[in-house]
Amino acid sequence: KAGVTQTPRYLIKTRGQQVTLSCSPISGHRSVSWYQQTPGQGLQFLFEYFSETQRNKGNFPGRFSGRQFSNSRSEMNVSTLELGDSALYLCASSLDGVGETQYFGPGTRLLVL
Amino acid sequence: DQQVKQNSPSLSVQEGRISILNCDYTNSMFDYFLWYKKYPAEGPTFLISISSIKDKNEDGRFTVFLNKSAKHLSLHIVPSQPGDSAVYFCAARISGGYQKVTFGTGTKLQVIP
């Protein structure tokens, strides 16, 4: 089985722009979670989607949004980018998001200038 | 508020010796704990987990210990190998809820040959 894939792998944007990141989960996995990793902060939970519905949300401003498509692929959008949004954005998938292990993608490295 | 804390940002150990990585948590509702390993340019990979009904779980060279009264867990790697050099994240969640995992800030382990 192919693993979790994320595109693009690297991205450079300027303040005020918006960005869309994509995540394709492992085939058959219906739960997709997004995390932000920054130095000193570890991985911080953004949100989790299952069957096109957001089931869980972390403590991030409304500039961070996401969606999930019927094929379980997910996108994350950040609007009005700030310098502090520079981070590694990780996507993880699991079968149904309850109890089993998550499998992570390699992440998208976003740099905001 | 960092509910899962890894107070040691880095750790160096000689090959063949024991590596002990520590993690503390503050939320008494957490009842399932996980360790992930992360190599550069890759997403975290699941290593080992433990339920709060246990105080020890072993998988090959990796053992996780849980002290609920102290809200403390540790990962022991014996013997340590150079390939174990990576960032280790401790994580916790509340069972029964949807996938919302709280991660620590990570400990970078270097195993010196």
mmCIF file of all heavy atoms in Angstrom, chain A residues 36 44-47 56-62 64, chain B residues 1 3 100:
data_model
loop_
_atom_site.group_PDB
_atom_site.id
_atom_site.type_symbol
_atom_site.label_atom_id
_atom_site.label_comp_id
_atom_site.label_asym_id
_atom_site.label_seq_id
_atom_site.Cartn_x
_atom_site.Cartn_y
_atom_site.Cartn_z
ATOM 1 N N GLN A 36 0.529 21.017 12.941
ATOM 2 C CA GLN A 36 1.561 22.012 12.645
ATOM 3 C C GLN A 36 2.752 21.720 13.552
ATOM 4 O O GLN A 36 2.583 21.560 14.768
ATOM 5 C CB GLN A 36 1.044 23.423 12.927
ATOM 6 C CG GLN A 36 2.058 24.521 12.630
ATOM 7 C CD GLN A 36 1.658 25.854 13.248
ATOM 8 O OE1 GLN A 36 1.594 25.996 14.462
ATOM 9 N NE2 GLN A 36 1.396 26.848 12.401
ATOM 10 N N GLN A 44 1.275 20.377 16.886
ATOM 11 C CA GLN A 44 0.030 20.903 17.422
ATOM 12 C C GLN A 44 -1.119 20.538 16.491
ATOM 13 O O GLN A 44 -1.046 20.763 15.288
ATOM 14 C CB GLN A 44 0.137 22.408 17.603
ATOM 15 C CG GLN A 44 1.182 22.777 18.669
ATOM 16 C CD GLN A 44 1.154 24.236 19.020
ATOM 17 O OE1 GLN A 44 1.555 25.083 18.234
ATOM 18 N NE2 GLN A 44 0.635 24.547 20.192
ATOM 19 N N PHE A 45 -2.160 20.006 17.093
ATOM 20 C CA PHE A 45 -3.296 19.505 16.347
ATOM 21 C C PHE A 45 -4.096 20.650 15.746
ATOM 22 O O PHE A 45 -4.459 21.611 16.432
ATOM 23 C CB PHE A 45 -4.180 18.685 17.297
ATOM 24 C CG PHE A 45 -5.465 18.194 16.718
ATOM 25 C CD1 PHE A 45 -5.501 17.087 15.897
ATOM 26 C CD2 PHE A 45 -6.654 18.849 17.002
ATOM 27 C CE1 PHE A 45 -6.690 16.635 15.363
ATOM 28 C CE2 PHE A 45 -7.857 18.398 16.480
ATOM 29 C CZ PHE A 45 -7.873 17.283 15.657
ATOM 30 N N LEU A 46 -4.364 20.536 14.461
ATOM 31 C CA LEU A 46 -5.159 21.558 13.772
ATOM 32 C C LEU A 46 -6.617 21.129 13.684
ATOM 33 O O LEU A 46 -7.510 21.795 14.176
ATOM 34 C CB LEU A 46 -4.605 21.800 12.372
ATOM 35 C CG LEU A 46 -3.377 22.714 12.306
ATOM 36 C CD1 LEU A 46 -2.530 22.380 11.099
ATOM 37 C CD2 LEU A 46 -3.803 24.165 12.262
ATOM 38 N N PHE A 47 -6.873 20.032 12.989
ATOM 39 C CA PHE A 47 -8.235 19.499 12.868
ATOM 40 C C PHE A 47 -8.205 18.087 12.324
ATOM 41 O O PHE A 47 -7.178 17.611 11.829
ATOM 42 C CB PHE A 47 -9.156 20.367 11.986
ATOM 43 C CG PHE A 47 -8.467 21.186 10.931
ATOM 44 C CD1 PHE A 47 -7.793 20.581 9.875
ATOM 45 C CD2 PHE A 47 -8.493 22.568 11.000
ATOM 46 C CE1 PHE A 47 -7.155 21.343 8.912
ATOM 47 C CE2 PHE A 47 -7.860 23.346 10.035
ATOM 48 C CZ PHE A 47 -7.192 22.731 8.990
ATOM 49 N N ASN A 56 -13.179 17.300 14.772
ATOM 50 C CA ASN A 56 -12.398 17.773 15.897
ATOM 51 C C ASN A 56 -11.552 18.950 15.441
ATOM 52 O O ASN A 56 -11.110 18.981 14.291
ATOM 53 C CB ASN A 56 -11.478 16.645 16.383
ATOM 54 C CG ASN A 56 -11.461 16.542 17.884
ATOM 55 O OD1 ASN A 56 -11.645 17.522 18.593
ATOM 56 N ND2 ASN A 56 -11.229 15.340 18.366
ATOM 57 N N LYS A 57 -11.337 19.887 16.325
ATOM 58 C CA LYS A 57 -10.604 21.087 15.940
ATOM 59 C C LYS A 57 -9.686 21.506 17.073
ATOM 60 O O LYS A 57 -10.078 21.453 18.250
ATOM 61 C CB LYS A 57 -11.589 22.215 15.626
ATOM 62 C CG LYS A 57 -10.989 23.423 14.954
ATOM 63 C CD LYS A 57 -12.071 24.439 14.623
ATOM 64 C CE LYS A 57 -11.555 25.602 13.788
ATOM 65 N NZ LYS A 57 -10.382 26.269 14.358
ATOM 66 N N GLY A 58 -8.478 21.937 16.736
ATOM 67 C CA GLY A 58 -7.541 22.439 17.728
ATOM 68 C C GLY A 58 -7.732 23.927 17.929
ATOM 69 O O GLY A 58 -8.689 24.531 17.436
ATOM 70 N N ASN A 59 -6.803 24.529 18.654
ATOM 71 C CA ASN A 59 -6.914 25.942 19.001
ATOM 72 C C ASN A 59 -6.153 26.838 18.026
ATOM 73 O O ASN A 59 -5.162 27.468 18.391
ATOM 74 C CB ASN A 59 -6.409 26.173 20.431
ATOM 75 C CG ASN A 59 -7.220 25.424 21.446
ATOM 76 O OD1 ASN A 59 -8.438 25.313 21.324
ATOM 77 N ND2 ASN A 59 -6.554 24.875 22.445
ATOM 78 N N PHE A 60 -6.601 26.870 16.818
ATOM 79 C CA PHE A 60 -5.984 27.720 15.810
ATOM 80 C C PHE A 60 -7.009 28.730 15.324
ATOM 81 O O PHE A 60 -8.216 28.479 15.353
ATOM 82 C CB PHE A 60 -5.484 26.864 14.637
ATOM 83 C CG PHE A 60 -4.140 26.243 14.890
ATOM 84 C CD1 PHE A 60 -4.028 25.075 15.629
ATOM 85 C CD2 PHE A 60 -2.984 26.820 14.388
ATOM 86 C CE1 PHE A 60 -2.802 24.509 15.881
ATOM 87 C CE2 PHE A 60 -1.740 26.257 14.620
ATOM 88 C CZ PHE A 60 -1.645 25.093 15.372
ATOM 89 N N PRO A 61 -6.529 29.899 14.861
ATOM 90 C CA PRO A 61 -7.475 30.921 14.383
ATOM 91 C C PRO A 61 -8.208 30.469 13.131
ATOM 92 O O PRO A 61 -7.820 29.516 12.458
ATOM 93 C CB PRO A 61 -6.572 32.136 14.093
ATOM 94 C CG PRO A 61 -5.193 31.596 13.976
ATOM 95 C CD PRO A 61 -5.131 30.373 14.812
ATOM 96 N N GLY A 62 -9.266 31.194 12.833
ATOM 97 C CA GLY A 62 -10.105 30.838 11.695
ATOM 98 C C GLY A 62 -9.409 30.937 10.351
ATOM 99 O O GLY A 62 -9.951 30.467 9.340
ATOM 100 N N PHE A 64 -7.076 29.261 9.511
ATOM 101 C CA PHE A 64 -6.748 27.878 9.183
ATOM 102 C C PHE A 64 -8.052 27.113 8.957
ATOM 103 O O PHE A 64 -8.915 27.060 9.846
ATOM 104 C CB PHE A 64 -5.967 27.228 10.324
ATOM 105 C CG PHE A 64 -4.590 27.776 10.515
ATOM 106 C CD1 PHE A 64 -4.390 28.965 11.212
ATOM 107 C CD2 PHE A 64 -3.486 27.127 9.987
ATOM 108 C CE1 PHE A 64 -3.112 29.486 11.382
ATOM 109 C CE2 PHE A 64 -2.207 27.632 10.160
ATOM 110 C CZ PHE A 64 -2.028 28.820 10.863
ATOM 111 N N ASP B 1 -0.869 26.261 26.932
ATOM 112 C CA ASP B 1 -0.741 25.287 28.016
ATOM 113 C C ASP B 1 -0.277 23.950 27.423
ATOM 114 O O ASP B 1 -1.036 23.290 26.717
ATOM 115 C CB ASP B 1 -2.099 25.117 28.714
ATOM 116 C CG ASP B 1 -2.046 24.027 29.766
ATOM 117 O OD1 ASP B 1 -0.969 23.854 30.364
ATOM 118 O OD2 ASP B 1 -3.050 23.367 29.979
ATOM 119 N N GLN B 3 0.164 20.390 27.612
ATOM 120 C CA GLN B 3 -0.351 19.308 28.436
ATOM 121 C C GLN B 3 0.553 18.082 28.413
ATOM 122 O O GLN B 3 0.429 17.214 29.278
ATOM 123 C CB GLN B 3 -1.747 18.911 27.954
ATOM 124 C CG GLN B 3 -2.779 20.008 28.126
ATOM 125 C CD GLN B 3 -4.168 19.522 27.785
ATOM 126 O OE1 GLN B 3 -4.639 18.530 28.314
ATOM 127 N NE2 GLN B 3 -4.819 20.212 26.874
ATOM 128 N N LYS B 100 -7.762 12.998 18.424
ATOM 129 C CA LYS B 100 -7.161 14.283 18.782
ATOM 130 C C LYS B 100 -6.003 13.949 19.708
ATOM 131 O O LYS B 100 -6.196 13.740 20.905
ATOM 132 C CB LYS B 100 -8.150 15.202 19.483
ATOM 133 C CG LYS B 100 -7.522 16.554 19.825
ATOM 134 C CD LYS B 100 -8.528 17.507 20.457
ATOM 135 C CE LYS B 100 -7.871 18.822 20.793
ATOM 136 N NZ LYS B 100 -8.817 19.777 21.394
#
